[in-house]
Amino acid sequence: MKIVFFSVTGQTRRFINKLDFSSVEITPTDPFFAVNEPYILVVPTYEKEITEFVEDFLNYSFNRQNLLGVAGTGNRNFAELFIFTAKDIAREYQVPLVYSFEFSGTPKDVANFKKVVNEIDIKTVR
């Protein structure tokens, strides 16, 4: 299963680097590339102006159609605003919010996220 992610401070990238999945990063310099296979999107929580590159990516080519779910990272101190970027994307693109974690994740988050992604991958193959 492919993982596509966006990282601002590097925390999301650190989480992704702990995984054993093929991944690609959305960058502000070139968000216009196609992912021609099913994928999970992982995004940090920031205002829309900062994450607009994610929207550019999602609306490019067939990226919207290949999106299976979204995971979010953020700071739980922000209460109802925790992972609001991931929640907004899930709602707008009508995909499930598959996982949430704080900052760059714990070893337990890594294990749980891998399990969730593997279960989605198994369902997708069928």
Side-chain angles (χ1 to χ4, degrees):
M1 173 71 55
K2 175 79 79 180
I3 305 295
V4 177
F5 70 98
F6 182 68
S7 188
V8 176
T9 64
Q11 291 193 83
T12 306
R13 187 179 309 108
R14 281 191 290 281
F15 179 78
I16 299 301
N17 287 338
K18 298 174 192 176
L19 306 171
D20 296 322
F21 295 114
S22 172
S23 66
V24 61
E25 183 172 359
I26 301 166
T27 64
T29 55
D30 186 19
F32 301 104
F33 61 91
V35 175
N36 297 314
E37 61 186 287
Y39 67 92
I40 302 294
L41 176 66
V42 182
V43 292
T45 303
Y46 284 96
E47 294 296 326
K48 220 168 189 45
E49 296 80 35
I50 295 174
T51 60
E52 68 183 308
F53 307 106
V54 175
E55 297 279 337
D56 292 340
F57 165 79
L58 288 169
N59 292 310
Y60 182 76
S61 188
F62 291 98
N63 291 343
R64 175 188 291 245
Q65 291 86 337
N66 290 322
L67 176 63
L68 295 181
V70 61
T73 179
N75 184 332
R76 292 188 194 279
N77 287 339
F78 294 127
E80 70 275 350
L81 295 178
F82 176 64
I83 68 161
F84 75 83
T85 302
K87 290 176 183 176
D88 288 350
I89 290 170
R91 184 175 38 257
E92 183 175 341
Y93 292 88
Q94 299 178 352
V95 296
L97 178 63
V98 299
Y99 198 76
S100 64
F101 57 97
E102 193 169 27
F103 304 120
S104 59
T106 65
K108 184 176 181 179
D109 287 318
V110 171
N112 289 340
F113 182 76
K114 285 181 176 182
K115 181 179 177 186
V116 167
V117 171
N118 285 327
E119 288 172 359
I120 293 169
D121 194 26
I122 289 169
K123 290 178 185 175
T124 304
V125 172
R126 293 182 184 179

